[in-house]
Amino acid sequence: MGLITFTNRGIYCKQGDFYVDPWLPVDYAVTTHGHADHVRWGNKYYLCHHLTKAIIKCRISEDLVVESMAYGEKVFRNGVQISFHPGGHVIGSAQVRLEYKGEICVISGDYKVEFDGISTAFEPIKCHTFVSESTFGLPVYNWLPQDVLFDDIKHWAAQNKENNKTTVLIAYSLGKAQRLLHNLAGYLPIYVHNSIGRLNVAIEQAGVKLPPYKTITADMSRDELQGGILIVPPVMRDSKWIKSLQGAAVGICSGWMQVRSHRRWQSADAGFALSDHADWNGLITAIKATEAEKVYVTHGFTSVFSRYLTEQGIPAEAVTTQFGIEDEEAVAEKGGDL
């Protein structure tokens, strides 16, 4: 019998009697990371990485019952060994490794293989069964090297400043916001929306050092903001506040910007294909490194990607889940005009 089954509540391990990233309330939830499509309110008990504990308490509720542990640490539940290993997706993200009577299964959650400078780098884990995403599981999705991409963002911001425009970057509060902050540090002053500022405080209190930034307040002048780079969540994209800025130039940071016909491109002045997910080559590299005998593909271009893997001699199956609703600001943030 396999270690996991896919149920209407989520990925279930019968031997251990727990779920990994359930989308309906359960008694015991093992959590890969803090995005809203992978961790939800209502579970009686959560197990996650130390940094994810700080994140989900900030984003969901301080009253959650949460146990946390470090990467590589092991706990047992009904004889099933559970450990977390770096996923490289966002701060605190983890792959969940399960072992029972010699069988090993890894549920990766979301992941990327390029080190972003702030999240713990992805660590491939050998296993019999691997559960993979395929958010960008098409050959067209092939990311530029990170240093090239951030040079493009800096150049665009410099042009905006010369033209007396205010640079606004649209990015998820968890993941891309901290990545932008880390990789743009020291270039221009950085200002963040209060939803990002609150999360940054929780992350810093958990032990992660972030570069200097200021949280945007209503009394900041348009001239002050025009001299820096503003990072705000997607919920603010079409807000009256952005329209009130001094010549706002809006850049969307998303892997979907790789394809410029994507609907999100149309209301922006620029798009940067910055993603916290693996691209086509990254997915293939990660999966091959696991040497898995069976791969389950949970969200994204599941049919195309699972068929490709099978053709390459890696037995794969597409499964239906509720993962991949990554516009999590609509769920987790109640943002609006400042």
Side-chain angles (χ1 to χ4, degrees):
M1 179 181 179
L3 264 177
I4 58 170
T5 55
F6 297 89
T7 76
N8 61 358
R9 290 188 174 273
I11 301 173
Y12 181 59
C13 175
K14 181 176 181 179
Q15 294 89 334
D17 191 23
F18 59 82
Y19 291 79
V20 178
D21 291 353
W23 45 83
L24 292 176
V26 300
D27 287 344
Y28 196 103
V30 179
T31 299
T32 61
H33 66 283
H35 278 146
D37 58 324
H38 285 260
V39 58
R40 304 187 182 186
W41 180 87
N43 301 309
K44 291 184 180 178
Y45 188 92
Y46 298 77
L47 176 68
C48 61
H49 184 268
H50 293 319
L51 294 175
T52 296
K53 177 179 180 177
I55 289 166
I56 65 175
K57 279 183 166 281
C58 174
R59 301 195 87 190
I60 301 177
S61 172
E62 287 291 339
D63 296 329
L64 298 183
V65 179
V66 184
E67 179 186 352
S68 64
M69 57 185 187
Y71 293 127
E73 188 177 347
K74 301 171 183 176
V75 298
F76 288 85
R77 180 168 169 82
N78 297 340
V80 178
Q81 177 183 291
I82 306 169
S83 58
F84 292 130
H85 303 267
H89 177 54
V90 298
I91 290 172
S93 65
Q95 302 172 84
V96 178
R97 181 187 184 275
L98 309 178
E99 182 173 351
Y100 182 74
K101 295 183 177 180
E103 181 180 352
I104 299 170
C105 175
V106 173
I107 299 102
S108 62
D110 292 329
Y111 63 92
K112 67 174 179 290
V113 297
E114 182 183 30
F115 177 52
D116 62 16
I118 191 165
S119 307
T120 306
F122 177 83
E123 174 186 322
I125 307 297
K126 287 181 170 47
C127 55
H128 300 101
T129 304
F130 186 63
V131 180
S132 176
E133 60 150 307
S134 64
T135 303
F136 294 104
L138 291 178
V140 68
Y141 294 108
N142 183 21
W143 311 141
L144 289 172
Q146 179 169 275
D147 57 346
V148 174
L149 187 59
F150 279 103
D151 282 346
D152 289 347
I153 294 175
K154 290 175 182 177
H155 179 69
W156 179 70
Q159 287 184 319
N160 292 337
K161 189 173 182 181
E162 288 178 9
N163 295 327
N164 294 317
K165 293 183 177 181
T166 304
T167 295
V168 182
L169 294 174
I170 305 295
Y172 290 139
S173 296
L174 173 59
K176 292 193 189 78
Q178 293 76 35
R179 190 176 175 188
L180 288 165
L181 183 59
H182 176 82
N183 287 281
L184 297 176
Y187 180 63
L188 289 173
I190 297 179
Y191 301 84
V192 304
H193 186 266
N194 57 23
S195 65
I196 298 171
R198 289 195 303 271
L199 189 55
N200 284 351
V201 169
I203 290 170
E204 290 179 295
Q205 288 176 344
V208 176
K209 183 173 177 57
L210 297 176
Y213 64 90
K214 290 184 179 180
T215 299
I216 300 167
T217 60
D219 59 357
M220 286 182 172
S221 70
R222 292 194 303 169
D223 287 341
E224 177 184 356
L225 296 175
Q226 192 274 324
I229 294 174
L230 283 55
I231 305 174
V232 303
V235 72
M236 294 292 292
R237 186 177 66 194
D238 298 318
S239 68
K240 293 179 182 178
W241 177 79
I242 285 182
K243 294 174 183 177
S244 75
L245 296 171
Q246 185 170 297
V250 177
I252 296 179
C253 298
S254 169
W256 300 115
M257 296 300 101
Q258 183 85 6
V259 180
R260 298 201 174 198
S261 61
H262 194 276
R263 63 180 177 82
R264 299 191 185 193
W265 174 267
Q266 298 179 17
S267 63
D269 300 292
F272 302 99
L274 179 68
S275 178
D276 286 325
H277 295 263
D279 63 5
W280 171 262
N281 290 320
L283 289 166
I284 294 168
T285 298
I287 289 169
K288 286 183 176 179
T290 69
E291 300 179 5
E293 299 167 2
K294 180 65 179 283
V295 176
Y296 291 102
V297 184
T298 58
H299 56 289
F301 296 97
T302 55
S303 297
V304 173
F305 191 59
S306 60
R307 183 167 61 249
Y308 173 82
L309 292 175
T310 299
E311 290 171 352
Q312 299 304 307
I314 303 172
E317 180 181 339
V319 294
T320 301
T321 68
Q322 292 188 26
F323 302 140
I325 310 168
E326 192 159 297
D327 207 359
E328 85 279 356
E329 313 306 332
V331 179
E333 315 292 354
K334 302 299 182 183
D337 296 345
L338 292 170

